[in-house]
Amino acid sequence: MTAQIIDGKAFAAEVREKVAGHVSRLKQEHGITPGLAVVLVGEDPASQVYVRNKGKQTIEVGMSSFEHKLPAETSQEELLELLDRLNADPQIHGILVQLPLPSHVDEELVINRIDPDKDVDGFHISNVGRLATGQKSMVPCTPLGCLMMLRDQRGSLSGLDAVVIGRSNIVGKPMAQLLLGDSCTVTIAHSRTRGLPEVVRRADVVVAAVGRPGFVRGEWIKPGATVIDVGINRIEAPEKGTNDDGSVKTRLVGDVDFDGAVQVAGAITPVPGGVGPMTIACLLANTVTACCRANGLDEPEGLTA
Ligand code: GUN
């Protein structure tokens, strides 16, 4: 039997629809329009694409989008001053500073200057601490998206064995905290873990976020397990031929050997079209959550951890 393929694109569209419903109610019943400010420093092409997509989707769900595109030479002081203004602006409920920042800027200092209640990335040290201690927090978007897909797939996660492969601050660590919050027995594995195949073989839930193409082998997966692949790796695909400039065409693959894992898993996210589309959807969800909290209103159901 082959695994169910989890359609992240469709799931993200459902999340955006829910967000749009909440936005519409906030406007009609309370006269409040949730606002998201995105700050981009410099001209990194990948970051420009992300920021454009974030702005577009923010407007599509009916929220206000405030884009601040600053030159690469912007000083740290100028950036901090902008954040102070955004923190104080009641029309703005969420603030995101696109990473990476130019090397002359202290990323940690910048992230921790954002009002934690407007920190829709969930990277502020206060939010990291709140999540770790089970308090209400803003939760990083990618792990939140993974959690939503897992809950949808499995219902209750209570008592399940979960392994998170990868220990980054953006995905691995918050993912482990969220799974622990849902009463999983959690193992955080990484590139130095000994006997990784055996560790993965015990897991009902596998979240792969190591950044290595096809690292998690199909034969490691426990039959029926739910596999969430966070990896987005570009590899050469000679079977697709060459580009006009003679270079070999490429394709995106995850951290999981999809063709192997799909034979054993109960459900699996594809790459592309799995976790990827959920990240911006969860950013929008976090902005609505932040807006509701800022105004003392009930939080949107199903959109938080
Ligand atoms: N750059 C790549 N991913 C992210 C993200 O999730 N948040 C921010 N702020 N920057 C990023």
Side-chain angles (χ1 to χ4, degrees):
M1 219 179 73
T2 62
Q4 180 199 334
I5 315 282
I6 301 171
D7 186 345
K9 226 172 132 181
F11 202 122
E14 278 175 33
V15 171
R16 285 196 303 272
E17 215 165 283
K18 272 193 208 166
V19 169
H22 286 289
V23 170
S24 168
R25 268 193 296 282
L26 281 164
K27 284 181 177 172
Q28 279 173 13
E29 293 170 19
H30 304 278
I32 301 166
T33 304
L36 172 64
V38 175
V39 180
L40 172 65
V41 186
E43 278 95 40
D44 178 66
S47 291
Q48 284 177 326
V49 173
Y50 286 134
V51 167
R52 201 178 316 129
N53 286 336
K54 284 168 186 169
K56 190 168 155 269
Q57 293 190 29
T58 301
I59 289 163
E60 277 169 6
V61 295
M63 304 200 290
S64 298
S65 168
F66 304 88
E67 279 185 22
H68 293 267
K69 293 183 178 164
L70 309 177
E73 316 77 63
T74 303
S75 71
Q76 181 169 287
E77 210 40 51
E78 283 172 297
L79 182 54
L80 294 175
E81 279 167 19
L82 170 62
L83 291 176
D84 290 343
R85 287 201 298 281
L86 299 176
N87 284 339
D89 187 339
Q91 288 196 68
I92 290 170
H93 306 95
I95 302 171
L96 178 144
V97 177
Q98 185 67 30
L99 303 177
L101 287 167
S103 55
H104 67 276
V105 178
D106 181 342
E107 227 163 68
E108 217 169 279
L109 190 72
V110 167
I111 287 168
N112 290 324
R113 188 70 159 241
I114 299 170
D115 177 344
D117 296 334
K118 295 190 178 189
D119 167 37
V120 282
D121 255 331
F123 295 166
H124 191 291
I125 195 72
S126 294
N127 282 317
V128 176
R130 288 177 192 172
L131 178 61
T133 51
Q135 299 175 58
K136 226 176 233 188
S137 67
M138 295 309 303
V139 175
C141 303
T142 300
L144 178 59
C146 296
L147 182 74
M148 285 182 188
M149 292 197 284
L150 282 167
R151 284 176 175 168
D152 181 68
Q153 186 64 39
R154 305 286 304 226
S156 168
L157 304 179
S158 182
L160 295 183
D161 279 313
V163 61
V164 178
I165 312 167
R167 51 177 157 176
S168 71
N169 292 333
I170 293 181
V171 182
K173 287 179 197 159
M175 187 75 245
Q177 295 289 1
L178 288 170
L179 292 166
L180 197 54
D182 269 26
S183 303
C184 289
T185 302
V186 183
T187 303
I188 305 178
H190 44 79
S191 54
R192 302 285 177 90
T193 297
R194 278 187 261 170
L196 185 58
E198 282 65 45
V199 173
V200 174
R201 216 164 265 137
R202 283 196 299 270
D204 307 299
V205 166
V206 180
V207 180
V210 265
R212 295 193 195 182
F215 178 73
V216 177
R217 308 305 306 163
E219 57 272 22
W220 300 359
I221 305 294
K222 175 175 168 177
T226 306
V227 179
I228 305 290
D229 192 349
V230 183
I232 303 176
N233 309 287
R234 191 166 283 285
I235 62 163
E236 289 194 343
E239 73 279 5
K240 286 171 74 177
T242 53
N243 295 305
D244 291 345
D245 65 2
S247 60
V248 177
K249 288 205 185 229
T250 60
R251 66 187 174 100
L252 292 180
V253 296
D255 290 348
V256 178
D257 151 37
F258 183 86
D259 293 343
V262 77
Q263 307 295 328
V264 218
I268 185 168
T269 60
V271 177
V275 174
M278 288 295 286
T279 299
I280 298 184
C282 287
L283 173 68
L284 305 176
N286 275 348
T287 306
V288 171
T289 300
C291 179
C292 290
R293 287 180 184 167
N295 288 282
L297 300 168
D298 287 344
E299 289 182 18
E301 224 168 275
L303 296 180
T304 53

